[in-house]
Amino acid sequence: MQVEVTVNGQAHVLEVADNTLLVELLRENLGLTGTHVGCDTSQCGACTVHMDGRSVKACTVLAAQAQGAEVVTIEGIGSADALHPMQEAFRDCHALQCGFCTPGMIMSAIDLVSRNPGIDNAGVRAGLEGNICRCTGYHNIVRAVIQAAQNM
Amino acid sequence: MYPFNYHRPQSADDALALFKAAEDGIYLAGGQTLLPTMKQRLAAPTDLIDLCNVPDLRGIELETQAVSVGALTLHSEVAGHEGIRSALPVLSSLAGEIGDSQVRNRGTLGGSVANSDPAADYPAAIVGLGATIHTMDRSIEGDDFFKDLFETALNPGELITRICFPVPERAAYQKFPNPASRYAIVGVLVADFSGEIRVGVTGAGPCAFRASGIEQVLNADLSPESIDAVEVPESGFNNDLHASAIYRAHLVKVMAKRAVADLLN
Ligand SMILES: Cc1cc2nc3c(=O)[nH]c(=O)nc-3n(C[C@H](O)[C@H](O)[C@H](O)COP(=O)(O)OP(=O)(O)OC[C@H]3O[C@@H](n4cnc5c(N)ncnc54)[C@H](O)[C@@H]3O)c2cc1C
Ligand code: FES
Ligand code: FES
């Protein structure tokens, strides 16, 4: 089947099998491997991207369900020279260890902070319930999100 | 993911026709239950019929004494809707406690209710508030909707279009969430319809139900303490790695007491 989808501002028309997941379209068809697959069972949030401005788990969305949608991935929020304030804050606060959960954490955190300016620690912890860090570095992740919230 | 055929009908009639024509068809709403279930091979439908373009399944309407919500309405839309927050705050707070934000950004009211997961949150509101489930061809009372584990009064291919929730004078929902999934180990919704109390329970049994014993004592004396006198038998309750049936029976009373305390506040 054909899927028309805009990813990081660029329009694509792609031919995919009906059973293709959005995360497969991103990683395999478009080579955007910043979006990770941790669990593949909707638990960990490593695959989080924005679809029409809301954070979603790309392992639990069919490519076909993204028809006509605007998708933003970790590759689309900043560049090496001009990091997004959330990326900057993750770097400053040492909010990553192995880095596997980081793209998903950052995508969730951006959605969370843009909807809840002035969010506090408890709000960040509740808002990131869908993202699991296997390195368990939550303390610094929460610090980073709070710091970014002040600069976003 | 194993192969299947994907369809995107433009009308409810076309959706039903596709359902009938398929060898083993299933409707797709948010996919937050269906897709994980398929990945685990707990279901292997041949045809997924996506409801996203079917008209009239969206939108929130505030009526004088009721809130009517389209089947495809996202949990995050219910949680964030200003009108629901002021008319029926118990529903927005319940929706805001479902799973996590990514799940709430895809999961829908209709999908949750049609699925009748014993641990889902919305079913507590369906029975606790006495909602009416509208389908393409009829209306089903909340009290008659949930039949058993993952079983409802829906006929094969019957599509939920909207759900209408009566607005009580006051209501509260309390759940004991599974710490990993946030599904309800037990959740209790208590609603006060001008002196007539309804109590909806999810998580405890194979499907949501009304706790008539608790309703009775609360109708006589609306206080957390009055629930102490009620016996909640554990027979027939879920018994799994998350909680024993006896523990769930205990939690029904504890959550009901917390909900009443909340409601009186
Ligand atoms: C990590 C995780 C945590 C979760 N935690 C919770 C939680 O704490 N509480 C909770 O309640 N839920 C929880 N859920 C489930 C979530 O709420 C789902 O969104 C919901 O159960 C199903 O809605 P859906 O729109 O995704 O339906 P789908 O998965 O698309 O469909 C589910 C079923 O409903 C049928 N269906 C869908 N729409 C209709 C309709 N309009 N008419 C007839 N049949 C229909 C489908 O055919 C299918 O059988 C969780 C899910 C995940 C992945
Ligand atoms: S890979 Fe999607 S939630 Fe874990
Ligand atoms: S930094 Fe390793 S999983 Fe989070």
Side-chain angles (χ1 to χ4, degrees):
Chain A
M1 68 175 305
Q2 213 174 54
V3 178
E4 292 162 43
V5 59
T6 301
V7 180
N8 300 332
Q10 197 181 334
H12 298 272
V13 181
L14 299 163
E15 192 58 41
V16 298
D18 286 15
N19 62 348
T20 308
L21 300 168
L22 175 59
V23 73
E24 294 171 337
L25 177 150
L26 295 171
R27 290 178 57 88
E28 287 160 35
N29 295 64
L30 300 181
L32 296 171
T33 52
T35 302
H36 292 168
V37 179
C39 63
D40 195 33
T41 54
S42 328
Q43 308 294 322
C44 75
C47 61
T48 303
V49 299
H50 298 171
M51 192 166 134
D52 291 331
R54 291 179 189 271
S55 58
V56 303
K57 292 174 180 171
C59 75
T60 312
V61 177
L62 296 176
Q65 291 177 291
Q67 167 63 33
E70 296 262 352
V71 175
V72 178
T73 70
I74 188 75
E75 288 90 349
I77 56 164
S79 65
D81 307 328
L83 294 179
H84 186 282
M86 190 62 75
Q87 291 173 306
E88 199 71 61
F90 268 61
R91 185 168 71 176
D92 282 358
C93 297
H94 189 60
L96 58 153
Q97 294 175 48
C98 77
F100 192 85
C101 69
T102 313
M105 284 288 179
I106 288 182
M107 296 311 284
S108 286
I110 291 173
D111 185 28
L112 180 67
V113 168
S114 58
R115 279 170 209 282
N116 304 279
I119 192 167
D120 64 1
N121 268 33
V124 172
R125 286 181 184 273
L128 293 181
E129 261 174 348
N131 292 76
I132 296 174
C133 176
R134 186 65 178 84
C135 300
T136 69
Y138 295 105
H139 184 77
N140 282 355
I141 291 172
V142 176
R143 254 189 351 123
V145 178
I146 295 288
Q147 178 176 316
Q150 284 149 9
N151 302 324
M152 264 173 72
Chain B
M1 178 79 91
Y2 73 89
F4 54 80
N5 305 311
Y6 171 87
H7 309 273
R8 195 185 296 127
Q10 305 296 320
S11 74
D13 287 340
D14 288 353
L16 183 60
L18 284 163
F19 181 88
K20 285 185 174 154
E23 184 186 328
D24 180 12
I26 195 161
Y27 293 135
L28 170 68
Q32 300 303 291
T33 292
L34 183 55
L35 298 178
T37 309
M38 289 168 65
K39 287 182 179 185
Q40 294 169 58
R41 299 293 164 105
L42 295 169
T46 57
D47 293 77
L48 264 59
I49 302 153
D50 191 344
L51 302 176
C52 68
N53 282 357
V54 173
D56 305 327
L57 303 186
R58 293 176 202 272
I60 293 166
E61 280 160 33
L62 302 175
E63 294 158 11
T64 354
Q65 279 307 316
V67 172
S68 163
V69 185
L72 282 186
T73 308
L74 304 175
H75 305 334
S76 55
E77 290 171 332
V78 172
H81 191 270
E82 289 300 328
I84 299 186
R85 264 174 196 282
S86 61
L88 190 54
V90 71
L91 196 65
S92 43
S93 65
L94 176 149
E97 285 172 31
I98 295 175
D100 53 57
S101 59
Q102 295 98 316
V103 167
R104 294 193 292 273
N105 281 339
R106 294 291 299 160
T108 68
L109 171 64
S112 173
V113 172
N115 196 49
S116 184
D117 188 303
D121 293 294
Y122 270 128
I126 300 291
V127 294
L129 296 172
T132 305
I133 292 96
H134 297 280
T135 74
M136 277 165 70
D137 17 57
R138 60 180 174 144
S139 303
I140 308 169
E141 289 310 314
D143 282 344
D144 306 325
F145 188 78
F146 299 106
K147 295 297 185 196
D148 205 343
L149 202 66
F150 300 107
E151 258 186 62
T152 67
L154 293 174
N155 296 318
E158 191 170 3
L159 201 67
I160 300 179
T161 52
R162 304 191 72 76
I163 298 182
C164 191
F165 297 91
V167 172
E169 206 167 289
R170 48 190 176 166
Y173 177 64
Q174 279 285 337
K175 84 162 154 175
F176 192 79
N178 178 314
S181 70
R182 264 92 51 206
Y183 271 106
I185 290 177
V186 166
V188 178
L189 187 145
V190 179
D192 176 4
F193 286 90
S194 315
E196 194 212 324
I197 307 299
R198 291 180 68 105
V199 178
V201 179
T202 191
C207 61
F209 62 92
R210 279 174 70 187
S212 46
I214 298 179
E215 287 181 354
Q216 232 166 47
V217 299
L218 292 179
N219 272 319
D221 170 20
L222 186 57
S223 72
E225 299 72 41
S226 66
I227 295 171
D228 287 330
V230 184
E231 287 258 2
V232 177
E234 76 270 15
S235 117
F237 276 10
N238 306 328
N239 201 3
D240 54 31
L241 79 164
H242 305 301
S244 66
I246 294 179
Y247 184 46
R248 282 190 160 90
H250 170 73
L251 283 178
V252 169
K253 287 174 65 167
V254 176
M255 293 304 116
K257 286 172 75 167
R258 288 186 189 170
V260 172
D262 247 24
L263 173 146
L264 293 172
N265 247 321

